[in-house]
Amino acid sequence: MSELTEIYYFSGTGNSFQLACDIADRLPNCAVIKMTEYNNEPVCADRVGVIFPVYMWGIPKYVSEFLKRLNIGKDKYIFAAATYGGSAGKALDIAQEILERRGLQLSAGFLVRMPDNYIIGYNAPSEKKQAKLFKAEKHKAEHIAQTVGYMKKPDIEKSRLVFDRIFAGVLYKKLNGVHDMDKGFTVNDKCTSCGKCVNVCPVGNIKLTDGKPQWTHRCELCLGCLQRCPARAIDYKNKTRNRKRYVNSVYKCSDGSK
Ligand SMILES: Cc1cc2nc3c(=O)[nH]c(=O)nc-3n(C[C@H](O)[C@H](O)[C@H](O)COP(=O)(O)O)c2cc1C
């Protein structure tokens, strides 16, 4: 296992980042790279991992664009892992289709259940439930590292829920308008103009105008700004005011803060 591995991740609240790090810890010569820092340079690694959250039973728009522009030879071993909160829909099928259309092969694909961060729909899971999920995640990371370490090509994992696989296409269509969905964010008087939302947005979609966040319609709806605001000043429409926030504890800003 002396080959080089690169893992590209996209993450709003840290689950996918945690998985990327846990897999990397178990592989020699493995780099973990933010997907948003990839500038189309040719990939030299022998093994490439792509790790991201499931959005609307599919994959974030940013991730589909990344898969379309990944500059990689057809001989490379590519694996994907999608973290999800409860129903993974057709996330890996979508990733596989994009790669296949480019003549590339998805050699392995894994689904990893993590705490659900979709605060627009649900409260964050209890600490007890989170701990259980994280324990299972460590085992899964071990399994993934073993599988990809030996460049095995198992079946791509699929959601066992018939319902979400059948209706995945319907919900996934909602993501077509995702960039404008930031029109639903609101900011209240508790905002201290700290700029953390600007700092944590993975796609640089937020700027401060008169000290308040302004979303510039390139949103991926990762909810990092809302979940990680230290003053709880950001909400989505009228849906999140009383909901518990979620941030994976491994996630830190470049200045070391959560
Ligand atoms: C916009 C959005 C849509 C989501 N859609 C789904 C979904 O369809 N199915 C699911 O199981 N989880 C869904 N989730 C939950 C995330 O996939 C899950 O919590 C993931 O681990 C978050 O990863 P991150 O912390 O790396 O951002 C969604 C989350 C967001 C923010």
Short mmCIF file of all heavy atoms in Angstrom, two decimals, residues 125-133:
data_model
loop_
_atom_site.label_atom_id
_atom_site.label_comp_id
_atom_site.label_asym_id
_atom_site.label_seq_id
_atom_site.Cartn_x
_atom_site.Cartn_y
_atom_site.Cartn_z
N PRO A 125 -29.82 15.55 16.09
CA PRO A 125 -30.03 14.36 16.93
C PRO A 125 -29.42 14.54 18.32
O PRO A 125 -28.52 15.36 18.50
CB PRO A 125 -29.33 13.24 16.16
CG PRO A 125 -28.48 13.89 15.14
CD PRO A 125 -28.97 15.27 14.92
N SER A 126 -29.91 13.77 19.28
CA SER A 126 -29.40 13.86 20.66
C SER A 126 -27.92 13.48 20.71
O SER A 126 -27.42 12.79 19.82
CB SER A 126 -30.18 12.92 21.57
OG SER A 126 -29.89 11.58 21.18
N GLU A 127 -27.26 13.92 21.78
CA GLU A 127 -25.83 13.59 21.97
C GLU A 127 -25.64 12.08 21.97
O GLU A 127 -24.66 11.56 21.45
CB GLU A 127 -25.32 14.16 23.30
CG GLU A 127 -25.44 15.68 23.45
CD GLU A 127 -24.53 16.43 22.49
OE1 GLU A 127 -23.42 15.96 22.27
OE2 GLU A 127 -24.95 17.49 21.96
N LYS A 128 -26.61 11.38 22.58
CA LYS A 128 -26.50 9.92 22.69
C LYS A 128 -26.54 9.28 21.30
O LYS A 128 -25.73 8.42 20.97
CB LYS A 128 -27.68 9.42 23.54
CG LYS A 128 -27.48 8.05 24.11
CD LYS A 128 -28.58 7.71 25.08
CE LYS A 128 -28.67 6.19 25.21
NZ LYS A 128 -29.92 5.75 25.77
N LYS A 129 -27.46 9.77 20.49
CA LYS A 129 -27.57 9.23 19.13
C LYS A 129 -26.32 9.58 18.31
O LYS A 129 -25.80 8.77 17.56
CB LYS A 129 -28.83 9.77 18.45
CG LYS A 129 -29.05 9.16 17.11
CD LYS A 129 -30.46 9.20 16.63
CE LYS A 129 -30.54 8.41 15.31
NZ LYS A 129 -31.60 8.89 14.45
N GLN A 130 -25.83 10.80 18.51
CA GLN A 130 -24.62 11.20 17.78
C GLN A 130 -23.46 10.27 18.13
O GLN A 130 -22.72 9.82 17.25
CB GLN A 130 -24.25 12.64 18.13
CG GLN A 130 -25.19 13.68 17.54
CD GLN A 130 -24.75 15.10 17.83
OE1 GLN A 130 -23.56 15.39 17.97
NE2 GLN A 130 -25.69 16.02 17.95
N ALA A 131 -23.31 9.99 19.43
CA ALA A 131 -22.19 9.15 19.87
C ALA A 131 -22.27 7.76 19.23
O ALA A 131 -21.26 7.20 18.79
CB ALA A 131 -22.20 9.03 21.40
N LYS A 132 -23.48 7.24 19.12
CA LYS A 132 -23.69 5.93 18.51
C LYS A 132 -23.29 5.96 17.03
O LYS A 132 -22.60 5.07 16.53
CB LYS A 132 -25.18 5.58 18.64
CG LYS A 132 -25.44 4.14 18.95
CD LYS A 132 -26.90 3.94 19.28
CE LYS A 132 -27.33 2.59 18.74
NZ LYS A 132 -28.75 2.37 18.85
N LEU A 133 -23.70 7.03 16.37
CA LEU A 133 -23.38 7.14 14.94
C LEU A 133 -21.88 7.28 14.71
O LEU A 133 -21.31 6.69 13.80
CB LEU A 133 -24.12 8.34 14.33
CG LEU A 133 -25.64 8.19 14.21
CD1 LEU A 133 -26.31 9.53 13.91
CD2 LEU A 133 -25.98 7.19 13.11
#
